[in-house]
């Protein structure tokens, strides 16, 4: 048959196949054909195995749980065995659109991990001794519930705390705690994104960026978003789309990261100098009048700035422009070069690029420099200044405030705000902190500021993740400080070793959650569900309790919290049970089906209609597809006119803030929003008067973008009230002779914190963290790749291998996150945890590695093939706590000395001096400006700022003043 | 030929049930397995133009940018992997169906397909299991039909001409020599992992598992002269192989053949030099 005949034969076969209503081509994305199994075949799909074997599978969607991006997964469930064969991307998920990073498919490893915790465990010996006994869920829950009930009845609500690493469903845990009436939410955010959040929040009230990368002309990242970080997969694919359409990518990253390698302009600044660079670009825009004057005139609170800071100046926009020019005139490219080490000429080129972007400038920072430096929150404040100058806010290709691209549907119950204030999480020293001062908890407990009766750690590993993990061990092993520690975790962690109960939680395919994240200018919902439950239900076998389908007795949290709440308040006398009762069957427990049915039927606009069009009810639709886009193209909400019905007995103040007596309309979307104060007569802020029109504005006190933050000025930080470049604690002037800066927070693309150590595919790819060191630095100290070096911090040292590379600036060293996992004995995760010995004597801790990872026999033959022994070094143990006095963010960068290892040093050695750790804590605490000295209102914190689990207003009063 | 090209493109994607049906329609005998697909397209012969046309022999870089530029010139947004074999065949099929001018088809055919695929497919025919061997033959036959229909009056594509040749280790050092030897467009030789294994086997040398350059360096360290002679013979074979179309693809084939001959000469000279040094010792 010649090729012409073959062409005809293929065409005929295609015609015949299409005529039968089937797909001819399998959908290789590279030739632009259908890329995924057609959704009408998800009940009965034939999957081809590695050797051509065919399997009948059901395709069931869920949501990845390995990072916050919440990308869609599609589980291939074998119809014969009802086991998950693999996970691929869910094409129906609006955020990830069928694409995943390595961590998504590796969920399968987490499901089948031979070391996973399958049953509730209770400690058998002393806390931390490593002896466990299996107990029933009933026994564990009765014990925990009784302690919580006693604490509540005895008026000790602040002794109940829930400390979360990876949050599940938006607001679910907060509502549980609110139902219990406790201010007990604690998060990991202050070791993560508080710095980034603060900079955004002081500008616009909302604390996250939602860049429209795909439509940008210039993308400016102070992050490594093509490889890691929050929303990296949804963002990375849109950044690449933007690049394919011709966008230029500018990356600020001290390391030559994978993201930097894709940049059109890679700037490798000295750590902490990022604000100086950003302000130099801003200065260029201002100096050359290449900013959007109309946008600035309409939407910045420049009048307030002039009135308060320059009363001598006539309050006109032209006068403000003059002042603005003077404010930033000293931020020249030459100044930025001196600070950052990046050539002025390069910075000028980047500034030209930024200027050319107009309203299509997509910018992003989340952790990175914002989480590394004292004053790091000014990185996001200075970055967003560029958007604010160009008017690139909520524009196509610009950057949106997150809340406008997020949808949190109203659930069946919304309990009231708790009436108490917990100073263990919200101490008065940090009134402006974005989130809880979680990593200072051991210090606060040791100082006697409080104790905990029941402490939940939930998918959180503070002993490993937080700075000064030994302080955590000391607190967790002291039963007078922590009465009961309950670790809710799918896998072993260094923190779980110090628990009283370990309660096994499901991984991404074994639990329910609802997510919505700002990943483009649209709002979507992603539904995480136990896939075997959904599969069985699709095959006609209803499931009442997720434990019926999960491995062992692994549970999910939604059902757990309902059950636990009933046990705390079995007769309803505490007023808790009512928030966990069925409405369909009064007096009975709420089920997850009813909970989600309520949401999908009543709180998600358009979903019932979309489902009906396919002959499904809304819950069945979400179980089948796992994702739903509520709407897209939200646009500039701030410029929308306020509808007439919301304007009742309106008052407009002298700066244009508009107040109304009309009640806030009910919204099905409960996305957290700031709550600017009303006027003295009881009206609520509803908008802002711009050019004679009442428009929504921004959720800030002024209703405008707050170039000048009166909040910062009034609460003790007037010198930081406008975007500025504070001096980092690792500024060259702050270093002693011979000191270097250690960057410790960068991630590896295939790992996620400590949660993915139970994924063998990921571990095989990435399992160590050598110290990046520049050749000139290495030569100076006589070190070559592979040599052991001792990295000395303020409180101790760790011993690690060197990796000599030009991918890092001279004088800076870097060591990745994720690595250095350890266990004390047999219990633990064997493929990524070294076995160590701990010594503690007179305030000094030492850790020494006894053995690395080793092959072992299990039900997975791959565990006999483990070829790596090195699992990296746990550097965080040697870091002192370094709270930023404004944002509360732990400032991760470290001042260190790097030396050749000393005789007797061994790989993985750790030593820490607790006294020095305490001294560092006190020194940083002294930087704070406490509310009881600086609060202008007699309250603990500006009420308008976002706060998780916001207490009732009365609880905001500082006790001394309340007494007075 | 658009449907045939699209069907052939499917086979370079991971096997699936539909791909098996396409294989059947194409008369490939049987459907390739995922193991075979991985071995061929992931480990031995990744099907990206940039590897075979770029001066570095790597995926991406300027060679990929050049392909991406062609997509853009057609007013299309280049996909993430614009130089993948499936993407290029799919593009050709689409352009043909859309009634693109002959000048466009000719440029795509001669600049981005015939400039490397004959070399790539020759090796595939040698290495691959039956279904892929037949698949390679069919692609080549189809492209030859297209080449006859759309003869090019121009000489070899500029980017292929401008790629340098293998660097002499006595001037540029061993590292650069090995890198350029492994860049097909420079050396005229396509050395796969399997070839390096064969070299070790033929020469009775120890094979160190790793990247090709690592394994080759190990062979050279063990017996430089024999290894260089083996490589020279391989390059001479390639020169013959490039000329197998008997003039149908003359300008392109000839350039590849000359590159291989030049490489063979350099390798032979190096072998002799080393042989003399050894005999002096």
């Amino acid at each position: 048959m010649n090729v012409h005949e073959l062409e005809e034969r293929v065409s005929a076969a295609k015609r015949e196949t299409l005529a039968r209503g089937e797909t001819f081509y399998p959908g290789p994305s590279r030739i632009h054909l259908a890329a995924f199994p057609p959704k009408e075949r998800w009940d009965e799909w034939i999957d081809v195995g590695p050797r051509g074997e065919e399997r009948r599978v059901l395709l069931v969607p869920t949501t990845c749980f390995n990072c916050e991006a919440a990308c869609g997964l599609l589980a291939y469930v074998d119809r014969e065995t009802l086991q998950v064969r693999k996970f691929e991307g869910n094409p129906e998920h609006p955020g990830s659109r069928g694409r995943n990073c390595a961590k998504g498919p590796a969920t399968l490893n987490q499901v089948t991990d031979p070391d996973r915790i399958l049953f509730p465990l209770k400690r058998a010996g002393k806390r931390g001794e490593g002896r466990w006994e299996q107990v029933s869920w009933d026994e564990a829950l009765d014990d925990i519930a009784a302690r919580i009930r006693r604490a509540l009845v005895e008026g000790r609500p602040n002794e109940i705390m829930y400390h979360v690493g990876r949050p599940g469903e938006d607001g679910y845990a907060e509502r549980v705690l609110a139902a219990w009436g406790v201010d007990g939410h604690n998060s990991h955010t202050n070791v993560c994104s508080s710095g980034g959040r603060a900079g955004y929040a002081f500008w616009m009230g909302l604390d996250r960026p939602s860049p429209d990368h795909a439509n940008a002309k210039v993308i400016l990242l102070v992050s490594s978003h093509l490889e890691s970080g929050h929303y990296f997969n949804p963002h990375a694919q849109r950044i690449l789309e933007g690049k394919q359409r011709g966008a230029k990518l500018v990356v600020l990253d001290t390391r030559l990261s994978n993201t930097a390698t894709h940049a059109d302009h890679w700037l490798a600044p000295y750590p902490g100098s990022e604000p100086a660079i950003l302000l130099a670009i801003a200065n260029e825009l201002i100096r050359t009048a290449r900013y959007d004057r109309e946008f600035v005139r309409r939407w910045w609170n420049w009048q307030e700035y002039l009135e308060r800071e320059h009363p001598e100046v006539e309050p006109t926009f032209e006068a403000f422009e003059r002042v603005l020019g003077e404010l930033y005139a000293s931020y020249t490219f030459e100044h930025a070069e001196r600070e950052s080490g990046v050539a002025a000429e390069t910075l000028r080129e980047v500034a030209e690029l930024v200027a050319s972007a107009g309203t299509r400038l997509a910018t992003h920072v989340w952790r990175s420099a914002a989480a590394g430096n004292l004053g790091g929150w000014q990185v996001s404040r200075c970055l967003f200044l560029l958007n604010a100058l160009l008017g690139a806010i909520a524009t196509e290709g610009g950057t949106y405030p997150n809340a406008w691209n997020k949808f949190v549907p109203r659930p069946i119950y919304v309990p009231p705000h708790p009436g108490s204030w917990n100073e263990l999480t919200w101490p008065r020293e940090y009134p402006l902190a974005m989130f809880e001062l979680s990593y200072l908890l051991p210090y606060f407990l040791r100082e006697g500021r409080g104790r905990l009766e029941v402490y939940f750690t939930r998918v959180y590993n503070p002993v490993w993740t937080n700075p000064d993990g030994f302080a955590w061990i000391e607190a967790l092993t002291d039963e007078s400080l922590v009465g009961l520690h309950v670790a809710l975790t799918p896998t072993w962690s260094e923190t779980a070793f110090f628990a009283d109960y370990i309660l096994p939680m499901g991984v991404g395919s074994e639990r329910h959650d609802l997510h919505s994240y700002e990943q483009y200018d649209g709002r979507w919902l992603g539904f995480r569900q136990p896939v075997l439950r959904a599969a069985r239900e699709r095959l006609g076998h209803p499931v009442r309790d997720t434990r019926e389908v999960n491995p062992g007795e692994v549970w999910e949290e939604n059902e757990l919290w309902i059950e636990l709440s009933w046990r705390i308040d079995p007769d309803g006398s505490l007023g808790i049970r009512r928030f966990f009762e069925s409405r369909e069957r009064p007096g009975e427990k709420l089920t997850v089906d009813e909970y989600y049915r309520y949401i999908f039927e009543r709180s998600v606009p358009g979903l019932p209609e979309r489902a009906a069009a396919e002959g499904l009810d809304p819950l069945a639709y979400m179980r089948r597809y796992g994702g739903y886009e509520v709407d897209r193209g939200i646009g500039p909400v701030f410029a929308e006119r306020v509808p007439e019905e919301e304007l009742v007995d309106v008052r407009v103040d002298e700066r244009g803030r508009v107040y109304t007596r009309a009640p806030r309309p009910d919204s099905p979307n409960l996305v957290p929003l700031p709550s600017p104060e009303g006027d003295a007569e009881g009206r609520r802020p509803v908008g802002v008067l711009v050019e004679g029109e009442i428009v929504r504005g921004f959720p800030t006190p002024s209703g405008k973008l707050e170039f000048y933050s009166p909040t910062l000025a009034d609460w003790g930080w007037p010198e930081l009230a406008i975007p500025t470049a504070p001096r980092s604690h690792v500024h060259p002037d702050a270093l002693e002779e011979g000191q270097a800066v250690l960057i410790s927070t960068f991630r590896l693309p295939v790992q996620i914190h400590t949660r993915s150590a139970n994924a063998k595919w990921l571990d095989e790819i990435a399992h160590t963290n050598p110290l990046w060191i520049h050749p000139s630095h290495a030569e100076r100290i006589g070190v070559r790749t592979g040599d052991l070096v001792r990295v000395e911090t303020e409180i101790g040292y760790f011993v690690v291998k060197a990796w000599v590379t030009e991918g890092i600036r001279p004088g800076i060293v870097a060591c990745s996150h994720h690595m250095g996992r350890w266990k004390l004995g047999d219990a633990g995760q064997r493929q990524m945890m070294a076995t160590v010995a701990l010594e503690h004597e007179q305030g000094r801790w030492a850790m020494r590695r006894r053995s690395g990872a080793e092959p072992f026999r299990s039900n997975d033959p791959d565990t006999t093939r483990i070829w790596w022994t090195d699992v990296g070094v746990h550097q965080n143990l040697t870091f002192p706590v370094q709270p930023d006095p404004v944002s509360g963010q732990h400032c991760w960068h470290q001042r260190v000395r790097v030396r050749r290892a000393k005789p007797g040093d061994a790989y993985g050695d750790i030593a820490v001096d607790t006294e020095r750790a305490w001294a560092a804590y006190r020194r940083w605490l002294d930087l704070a400006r406490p509310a009881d000295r600086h609060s202008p209102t007699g309250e603990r914190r500006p009420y308008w700022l976002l706060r998780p689990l916001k207490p009732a207003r009365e609880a905001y009063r500082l006790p001394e003043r309340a007494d007075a | 030929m658009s449907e045939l090209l699209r069907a052939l493109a499917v086979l370079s994607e991971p096997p699936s049930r539909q791909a098996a049906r396409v294989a059947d329609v194409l008369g490939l005998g049987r459907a390739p397995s995922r193991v075979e697909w991985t071995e061929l397209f992931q480990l031995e012969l990744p099907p990206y133009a940039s590897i075979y046309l770029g001066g570095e022999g790597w995926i991406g870089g300027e060679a990929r940018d050049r392909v991406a530029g062609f997509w853009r010139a057609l007013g299309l947004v280049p996909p993430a992997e614009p130089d993948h074999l499936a993407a290029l065949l799919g593009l050709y099929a689409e352009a043909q169906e859309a009634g693109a001018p002959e000048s466009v088809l000719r440029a795509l055919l001669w600049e981005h397909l015939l400039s490397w695929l004959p070399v790539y497919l020759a090796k595939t025919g040698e290495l691959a299991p039956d279904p892929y061997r037949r698949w390679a033959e069919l692609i080549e036959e189809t492209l030859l039909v297209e080449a006859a229909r759309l003869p090019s009056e121009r000489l070899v594509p500029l980017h292929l001409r401008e790629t340098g040749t293998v660097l002499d280790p006595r001037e540029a050092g061993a590292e650069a020599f090995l890198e350029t030897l492994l860049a097909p467009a420079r050396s005229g030789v396509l050395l796969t992992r399997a070839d390096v294994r064969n070299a070790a086997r033929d020469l009775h040398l120890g094979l160190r598992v790793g990247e090709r350059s690592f394994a080759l360096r190990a062979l050279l360290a063990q017996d430089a002269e024999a290894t260089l002679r083996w490589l020279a013979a391989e390059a001479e074979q390639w020169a013959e192989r490039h000329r197998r179309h008997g003039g149908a693809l003359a300008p392109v084939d000839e350039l590849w053949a000359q590159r291989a001959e030049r490489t063979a000469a350099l390798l032979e000279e190096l072998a002799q030099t080393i042989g003399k040094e050894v005999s002096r010792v």
Side-chain angles (χ1 to χ4, degrees), chain A residues 197-269:
Chain A
R197 288 173 188 269
Y200 289 111
F202 291 127
W203 258 114
M204 57 177 172
L206 303 166
D207 64 351
R208 289 186 87 140
S210 174
D212 182 15
H213 293 306
N215 297 303
K217 194 171 171 191
V218 176
I219 299 167
L220 175 49
L221 303 178
V222 188
S223 66
S224 44
H225 250 51
L226 282 174
E227 62 194 285
S228 63
H230 280 338
Y231 310 157
F232 112 76
N233 168 45
H235 275 186
Q237 55 184 261
R238 291 175 171 88
I239 291 169
L240 287 179
E241 277 177 25
K243 273 178 70 78
Q244 284 169 352
R245 291 176 181 151
K248 295 294 180 193
L249 177 61
V250 181
V251 174
L252 272 74
D253 195 336
T254 306
R255 283 182 318 119
L256 180 57
S257 60
N258 290 344
T259 306
T261 61
H262 284 68
D264 296 287
H265 286 276
W266 168 42
L267 310 183

Side-chain angles (χ1 to χ4, degrees), chain B residues 98-116:
Chain B
E102 282 198 354
S103 59
V104 168
L105 291 175
R106 190 175 276 117
L108 179 53
L109 182 69
W110 287 90
E111 296 268 339
H112 300 297
L113 292 168
L114 290 173
S115 52
W116 66 283

Side-chain angles (χ1 to χ4, degrees), chain A residues 4-18:
Chain A
H4 296 285
E5 290 162 345
L6 202 50
E7 161 77 9
E8 182 45 43
R9 180 170 159 179
V10 172
S11 301
K14 182 181 172 186
R15 282 195 299 275
E16 272 173 38
T17 311
L18 295 179

